[in-house]
Every structure is written in structure tokens, then in C-alpha cells.
Amino acid sequence: MLVFCDNTNMRLVVLSFLLVSVWCNGANGGALTLTKENFDMTIASNELVFINFYADWCHFSNLLSPVFDEAADKIKEKFSQLGQVVVGKVDCDKQDTIASRFQITKYPTLKLVRNGQPVKREYRGQRSAQAFLDFITKQLEDPIKEFYDVKDLSDLDDKKRMLIGYFPRKDIPQYEIYRRVATNLKDDCHFHVGFGEASQAMHPPSEPIIVFRSDKALSNDDDEIFKGNLNSFDELHIWAQQKCVPLVREITFENAEELTEEGLPFLILFHAPDDHESIKEYKDTIANTMTTEKQNVNFLTADGIKFAHPLHHLGKSKDDLPLIAIDSFKHMYLFSNFKDMRIPGKLKTFLDDLYSGKLHREFHYGPDPELDPMQLLADQGKVPTTPPESTFKKLAPSKNRYTLLRDEL
């Protein structure tokens, strides 16, 4: 007979039983079937849960299913420690509440849950058992790099945003909280840590300290020391996320699909690869005048050499850099002149003109808002032109890879 002294012990025993049940249910092979009965417990009790959201009627889901099951077996074999990683699958027709909770808009969607929190970036890489195994292996790597002398920090990449922790030793609760935050935000920031003598230069020398260091080469953001409660995961996580995820992001071929799927128009600075000053000036303009628009538009920078194709659609080349444009996912519109950004309110007006439809109308009929468009055509004998088509829309989720439930792009 088992005797339980209090409710805490009872909960621990029940949780242990459920953990073993989950492990046993997945031991027969393939991904673990996740339902409303075991979903929350599974994501809460494992560091990583890699999930395939699928539908039985979806052709692409059926193609992926055996590959994902094979990957699940490989991952279980390599990472057998209880509570480390679970590979699961959700039948979205049967578990519609879970699908709604994760805002599934296409099948199959592959998402990662880390420490009970969904990772904002879904998996978009190669769909093979080995690629999935490599992905999970990388996710389980320690995201924090240790330094042994404060002088080492002078060699860090000044184009990256980073958090630096100084702790007297590793076996303290504050470091474990810092490690959990680093695990959740490893895709957005670089994380570093120094222990003992490496942290003695900080004041007070025996107190844990966490510092944000900005990407000085690409922004004028200030460094900042975390002044909140180092024993609070939520407090540190919120602060770190605000620092690690900038208002203006860089678009690359790796994240273009993800950014496109957010469905917001792009306001993009195209720049030469070594032109850091225009990036800083653009970021400052956005931060000083347009922060209220962050829910309505994605502020981006783009390497104008890598993204030469959109420039070509705008009738521009690398010789015209830097330049600013809007991609509405229907058409592209060119800002008058990069230097005009320095005129107070000019860039904000450009964005407002997209919302009002003025950019589209003026592209067709010219800049005079006083004349009736059809009358203007009759007077000038012009035929309506068409703005350059969106090029970034083509980087949206492929219709040859997903069954799209809705297409807002």
C-alpha cells in the first residue's frame, strides 16, 4: 500500500505515471498520437515536443506520415531520456480544438513546443527522417556559449543581438532560469555566460547580472541591464523577448516564407551588403515615427544583391541602392527617394497612402488627386498601367507542399 503525505506528493506520482504512460504509448513505434486527454500533460512534461498537425484526407499529410513515424523512431532511439523530447501527431479533424489553438491554416504543419511554449517559427526544412533527427539534435544543443575572460566579449559579432549573463556559479536557480529563456529565444538572440572569475569584473561581483548587448553595427539601440526579478522566468522572458526581437527585421531566403505567411505588407529597405549606415538610419526612422504601425506592417531590411529579383521588378538595380519599397502581396510600390525619408512624416505618409489606396490609384492615373481618374484618362489619352506584381508573394507556402485551408495572401 502507498501512503501519500500531501497533495504535492500525490501530484508528483500521478505525473510520473502519466509520463510513463506517454512513453509506453509511443514505444510501439512511430509518432505519439496526441489528443485533448494527453496533449497539455505531454507539452508540460517534456523539454521538446515536435508535432505534425495533419488531416487524413490531405494528400501531403499522407505522404509525410511514414517519414514522420520513421523520424520519431530515430529520435526516440537517440534521445531516450524521459522528459527530453516527444515526437507527436495531431489529427486536426478529430482534435479541432487543438488545431484552432495552434492556428493551423494548412496541412501538414510541423510545430515545435519548447518548455510548454509553442515556438513561433514552424519547421520548414527538408522533410526526411534524417533532416528531422538533425533538427531535433540541433534544438537540444546548449544555446549558451561560455566565456572565460571578459576580454573575450570584445570579439563577439557586433551585427548580432545578444544577452550576456554573469553568474558566480552554474548550480543556482537564476542560471537555470536564464538557460530556459535562452532555450526559448535561441533563434532570436545569441546567449553568452561567464562564471566565477569571468564574472568578477561586474559589480557587485557576487550578484548574478544579465545584460543586453545591441547589434551595434546595424542599430543605435542602447545596451541595457535587466533590473527585474532574476528568479522570475516570466519576467526575464518578456524582457529578453522585447530585446531580442527587433522592430525592424532582416528578411532572408530562410525566413521569407514565415514572414510572408504573417500576411502583413512589407515595408522594405533594400541596401548594399556593406551599407550599415542606411540600415541604422532606416531603423531610427521607424523607431521614432512608426512604432504604432507594427501590428499592420512588417518593417524589414533586405540585402539588395541577394534580393535582386524584386529590384528588377521595380526597374532598379544594385546601382540604385539604397531604396525603400512596399510589397502589398499584390503589387510593389517604390518610395520616391531614400533621402526623402529624412523629411519628417514622409515615410509614414507613404505607408498611409498604401492603406488609403492612393498608391495604387496614383500609379494608374498620375499624382493629381483632384481629377476624376476616368476624366484624366480621357484628357490625356492614357491607358491604365499596372504596378509591378509582388515578388515576395511567390515565397509564400508552396501549393505543391501543403493543402492550404485559406489563402489570405
mmCIF file of all heavy atoms in Angstrom, residues 115-138:
data_model
loop_
_atom_site.group_PDB
_atom_site.id
_atom_site.type_symbol
_atom_site.label_atom_id
_atom_site.label_comp_id
_atom_site.label_asym_id
_atom_site.label_seq_id
_atom_site.Cartn_x
_atom_site.Cartn_y
_atom_site.Cartn_z
ATOM 1 N N ASN A 115 9.533 23.676 -23.706
ATOM 2 C CA ASN A 115 9.221 24.014 -22.305
ATOM 3 C C ASN A 115 7.772 24.475 -22.154
ATOM 4 O O ASN A 115 7.464 25.407 -21.419
ATOM 5 C CB ASN A 115 10.168 25.105 -21.786
ATOM 6 C CG ASN A 115 11.612 24.641 -21.733
ATOM 7 O OD1 ASN A 115 11.885 23.500 -21.350
ATOM 8 N ND2 ASN A 115 12.540 25.498 -22.112
ATOM 9 N N GLY A 116 6.870 23.812 -22.879
ATOM 10 C CA GLY A 116 5.447 24.106 -22.773
ATOM 11 C C GLY A 116 4.972 25.268 -23.613
ATOM 12 O O GLY A 116 3.768 25.535 -23.674
ATOM 13 N N GLN A 117 5.903 25.974 -24.308
ATOM 14 C CA GLN A 117 5.537 27.153 -25.095
ATOM 15 C C GLN A 117 5.763 26.890 -26.583
ATOM 16 O O GLN A 117 6.845 26.434 -26.974
ATOM 17 C CB GLN A 117 6.371 28.363 -24.661
ATOM 18 C CG GLN A 117 6.155 28.771 -23.219
ATOM 19 C CD GLN A 117 4.753 29.263 -22.958
ATOM 20 O OE1 GLN A 117 4.164 29.966 -23.785
ATOM 21 N NE2 GLN A 117 4.191 28.899 -21.821
ATOM 22 N N PRO A 118 4.772 27.169 -27.427
ATOM 23 C CA PRO A 118 4.972 26.982 -28.873
ATOM 24 C C PRO A 118 6.068 27.898 -29.402
ATOM 25 O O PRO A 118 6.097 29.086 -29.081
ATOM 26 C CB PRO A 118 3.608 27.360 -29.478
ATOM 27 C CG PRO A 118 2.638 27.322 -28.334
ATOM 28 C CD PRO A 118 3.423 27.666 -27.107
ATOM 29 N N VAL A 119 6.964 27.347 -30.182
ATOM 30 C CA VAL A 119 7.978 28.152 -30.857
ATOM 31 C C VAL A 119 7.305 28.847 -32.030
ATOM 32 O O VAL A 119 6.553 28.230 -32.789
ATOM 33 C CB VAL A 119 9.136 27.256 -31.345
ATOM 34 C CG1 VAL A 119 10.130 28.049 -32.171
ATOM 35 C CG2 VAL A 119 9.833 26.614 -30.144
ATOM 36 N N LYS A 120 7.555 30.145 -32.192
ATOM 37 C CA LYS A 120 6.813 30.913 -33.205
ATOM 38 C C LYS A 120 7.142 30.466 -34.624
ATOM 39 O O LYS A 120 6.317 30.578 -35.523
ATOM 40 C CB LYS A 120 7.079 32.403 -33.037
ATOM 41 C CG LYS A 120 8.502 32.835 -33.288
ATOM 42 C CD LYS A 120 8.650 34.332 -33.097
ATOM 43 C CE LYS A 120 10.067 34.794 -33.362
ATOM 44 N NZ LYS A 120 10.200 36.248 -33.173
ATOM 45 N N ARG A 121 8.361 29.958 -34.832
ATOM 46 C CA ARG A 121 8.742 29.515 -36.169
ATOM 47 C C ARG A 121 8.410 28.039 -36.340
ATOM 48 O O ARG A 121 8.913 27.200 -35.610
ATOM 49 C CB ARG A 121 10.233 29.731 -36.405
ATOM 50 C CG ARG A 121 10.657 31.183 -36.438
ATOM 51 C CD ARG A 121 12.127 31.304 -36.814
ATOM 52 N NE ARG A 121 12.516 32.697 -36.920
ATOM 53 C CZ ARG A 121 13.079 33.396 -35.939
ATOM 54 N NH1 ARG A 121 13.319 32.801 -34.784
ATOM 55 N NH2 ARG A 121 13.402 34.657 -36.108
ATOM 56 N N GLU A 122 7.569 27.731 -37.299
ATOM 57 C CA GLU A 122 7.283 26.333 -37.567
ATOM 58 C C GLU A 122 8.422 25.720 -38.380
ATOM 59 O O GLU A 122 9.230 26.442 -38.986
ATOM 60 C CB GLU A 122 5.958 26.177 -38.308
ATOM 61 C CG GLU A 122 5.946 26.754 -39.703
ATOM 62 C CD GLU A 122 4.575 26.648 -40.345
ATOM 63 O OE1 GLU A 122 3.610 27.249 -39.823
ATOM 64 O OE2 GLU A 122 4.473 25.957 -41.375
ATOM 65 N N TYR A 123 8.484 24.415 -38.410
ATOM 66 C CA TYR A 123 9.530 23.730 -39.171
ATOM 67 C C TYR A 123 9.217 23.834 -40.659
ATOM 68 O O TYR A 123 8.136 23.476 -41.105
ATOM 69 C CB TYR A 123 9.616 22.259 -38.754
ATOM 70 C CG TYR A 123 10.657 21.484 -39.543
ATOM 71 C CD1 TYR A 123 11.976 21.459 -39.128
ATOM 72 C CD2 TYR A 123 10.316 20.806 -40.705
ATOM 73 C CE1 TYR A 123 12.938 20.766 -39.845
ATOM 74 C CE2 TYR A 123 11.268 20.109 -41.437
ATOM 75 C CZ TYR A 123 12.577 20.100 -41.005
ATOM 76 O OH TYR A 123 13.529 19.417 -41.726
ATOM 77 N N ARG A 124 10.199 24.304 -41.442
ATOM 78 C CA ARG A 124 10.002 24.483 -42.874
ATOM 79 C C ARG A 124 11.142 23.866 -43.675
ATOM 80 O O ARG A 124 11.295 24.144 -44.860
ATOM 81 C CB ARG A 124 9.888 25.970 -43.216
ATOM 82 C CG ARG A 124 8.729 26.671 -42.507
ATOM 83 C CD ARG A 124 8.741 28.170 -42.798
ATOM 84 N NE ARG A 124 7.751 28.879 -42.014
ATOM 85 C CZ ARG A 124 6.494 29.063 -42.367
ATOM 86 N NH1 ARG A 124 6.066 28.580 -43.514
ATOM 87 N NH2 ARG A 124 5.653 29.719 -41.590
ATOM 88 N N GLY A 125 11.936 23.033 -43.029
ATOM 89 C CA GLY A 125 13.092 22.458 -43.694
ATOM 90 C C GLY A 125 12.755 21.210 -44.490
ATOM 91 O O GLY A 125 11.600 20.904 -44.791
ATOM 92 N N GLN A 126 13.803 20.473 -44.828
ATOM 93 C CA GLN A 126 13.646 19.251 -45.609
ATOM 94 C C GLN A 126 12.808 18.227 -44.849
ATOM 95 O O GLN A 126 12.919 18.083 -43.636
ATOM 96 C CB GLN A 126 15.032 18.660 -45.911
ATOM 97 C CG GLN A 126 14.995 17.402 -46.753
ATOM 98 C CD GLN A 126 16.385 16.819 -46.960
ATOM 99 O OE1 GLN A 126 17.385 17.435 -46.594
ATOM 100 N NE2 GLN A 126 16.454 15.636 -47.529
ATOM 101 N N ARG A 127 11.983 17.495 -45.586
ATOM 102 C CA ARG A 127 11.084 16.524 -44.955
ATOM 103 C C ARG A 127 11.613 15.117 -45.182
ATOM 104 O O ARG A 127 11.130 14.373 -46.034
ATOM 105 C CB ARG A 127 9.671 16.684 -45.504
ATOM 106 C CG ARG A 127 9.097 18.056 -45.158
ATOM 107 C CD ARG A 127 7.662 18.211 -45.594
ATOM 108 N NE ARG A 127 7.115 19.466 -45.135
ATOM 109 C CZ ARG A 127 5.843 19.804 -45.203
ATOM 110 N NH1 ARG A 127 4.978 18.948 -45.737
ATOM 111 N NH2 ARG A 127 5.417 20.962 -44.752
ATOM 112 N N SER A 128 12.615 14.786 -44.383
ATOM 113 C CA SER A 128 13.173 13.436 -44.385
ATOM 114 C C SER A 128 13.441 13.055 -42.941
ATOM 115 O O SER A 128 13.586 13.923 -42.066
ATOM 116 C CB SER A 128 14.471 13.376 -45.194
ATOM 117 O OG SER A 128 15.506 14.080 -44.539
ATOM 118 N N ALA A 129 13.504 11.749 -42.683
ATOM 119 C CA ALA A 129 13.726 11.289 -41.314
ATOM 120 C C ALA A 129 15.047 11.824 -40.767
ATOM 121 O O ALA A 129 15.128 12.245 -39.610
ATOM 122 C CB ALA A 129 13.707 9.758 -41.275
ATOM 123 N N GLN A 130 16.090 11.829 -41.604
ATOM 124 C CA GLN A 130 17.393 12.315 -41.146
ATOM 125 C C GLN A 130 17.355 13.813 -40.873
ATOM 126 O O GLN A 130 17.947 14.294 -39.892
ATOM 127 C CB GLN A 130 18.464 11.996 -42.191
ATOM 128 C CG GLN A 130 19.878 12.344 -41.744
ATOM 129 C CD GLN A 130 20.291 11.589 -40.490
ATOM 130 O OE1 GLN A 130 20.089 10.372 -40.387
ATOM 131 N NE2 GLN A 130 20.864 12.302 -39.527
ATOM 132 N N ALA A 131 16.653 14.573 -41.721
ATOM 133 C CA ALA A 131 16.558 16.019 -41.509
ATOM 134 C C ALA A 131 15.823 16.333 -40.209
ATOM 135 O O ALA A 131 16.216 17.244 -39.470
ATOM 136 C CB ALA A 131 15.852 16.680 -42.692
ATOM 137 N N PHE A 132 14.769 15.582 -39.910
ATOM 138 C CA PHE A 132 14.044 15.778 -38.655
ATOM 139 C C PHE A 132 14.938 15.449 -37.461
ATOM 140 O O PHE A 132 14.939 16.160 -36.449
ATOM 141 C CB PHE A 132 12.780 14.917 -38.620
ATOM 142 C CG PHE A 132 11.726 15.330 -39.613
ATOM 143 C CD1 PHE A 132 10.945 14.377 -40.251
ATOM 144 C CD2 PHE A 132 11.497 16.658 -39.904
ATOM 145 C CE1 PHE A 132 9.966 14.745 -41.160
ATOM 146 C CE2 PHE A 132 10.525 17.051 -40.808
ATOM 147 C CZ PHE A 132 9.749 16.085 -41.440
ATOM 148 N N LEU A 133 15.694 14.374 -37.565
ATOM 149 C CA LEU A 133 16.614 13.996 -36.485
ATOM 150 C C LEU A 133 17.669 15.082 -36.293
ATOM 151 O O LEU A 133 17.973 15.462 -35.148
ATOM 152 C CB LEU A 133 17.271 12.656 -36.805
ATOM 153 C CG LEU A 133 18.351 12.184 -35.819
ATOM 154 C CD1 LEU A 133 17.776 12.009 -34.422
ATOM 155 C CD2 LEU A 133 18.985 10.888 -36.308
ATOM 156 N N ASP A 134 18.222 15.583 -37.372
ATOM 157 C CA ASP A 134 19.228 16.642 -37.275
ATOM 158 C C ASP A 134 18.636 17.897 -36.647
ATOM 159 O O ASP A 134 19.298 18.577 -35.842
ATOM 160 C CB ASP A 134 19.780 16.977 -38.664
ATOM 161 C CG ASP A 134 20.598 15.838 -39.265
ATOM 162 O OD1 ASP A 134 21.004 14.935 -38.498
ATOM 163 O OD2 ASP A 134 20.813 15.853 -40.492
ATOM 164 N N PHE A 135 17.390 18.202 -37.002
ATOM 165 C CA PHE A 135 16.714 19.380 -36.455
ATOM 166 C C PHE A 135 16.567 19.265 -34.939
ATOM 167 O O PHE A 135 16.894 20.199 -34.197
ATOM 168 C CB PHE A 135 15.349 19.533 -37.121
ATOM 169 C CG PHE A 135 14.464 20.582 -36.502
ATOM 170 C CD1 PHE A 135 14.756 21.926 -36.638
ATOM 171 C CD2 PHE A 135 13.330 20.211 -35.781
ATOM 172 C CE1 PHE A 135 13.938 22.903 -36.071
ATOM 173 C CE2 PHE A 135 12.509 21.173 -35.217
ATOM 174 C CZ PHE A 135 12.818 22.514 -35.353
ATOM 175 N N ILE A 136 16.090 18.116 -34.467
ATOM 176 C CA ILE A 136 15.904 17.928 -33.032
ATOM 177 C C ILE A 136 17.246 17.919 -32.311
ATOM 178 O O ILE A 136 17.389 18.482 -31.214
ATOM 179 C CB ILE A 136 15.129 16.612 -32.759
ATOM 180 C CG1 ILE A 136 13.693 16.736 -33.272
ATOM 181 C CG2 ILE A 136 15.141 16.282 -31.272
ATOM 182 C CD1 ILE A 136 12.882 17.837 -32.605
ATOM 183 N N THR A 137 18.254 17.308 -32.925
ATOM 184 C CA THR A 137 19.585 17.297 -32.321
ATOM 185 C C THR A 137 20.096 18.709 -32.110
ATOM 186 O O THR A 137 20.638 19.043 -31.047
ATOM 187 C CB THR A 137 20.563 16.508 -33.214
ATOM 188 O OG1 THR A 137 20.102 15.167 -33.361
ATOM 189 C CG2 THR A 137 21.964 16.493 -32.612
ATOM 190 N N LYS A 138 19.893 19.553 -33.115
ATOM 191 C CA LYS A 138 20.337 20.943 -33.000
ATOM 192 C C LYS A 138 19.530 21.691 -31.942
ATOM 193 O O LYS A 138 20.081 22.525 -31.208
ATOM 194 C CB LYS A 138 20.207 21.643 -34.355
ATOM 195 C CG LYS A 138 20.793 23.049 -34.375
ATOM 196 C CD LYS A 138 20.833 23.612 -35.775
ATOM 197 C CE LYS A 138 21.446 25.011 -35.782
ATOM 198 N NZ LYS A 138 22.833 25.030 -35.260
#
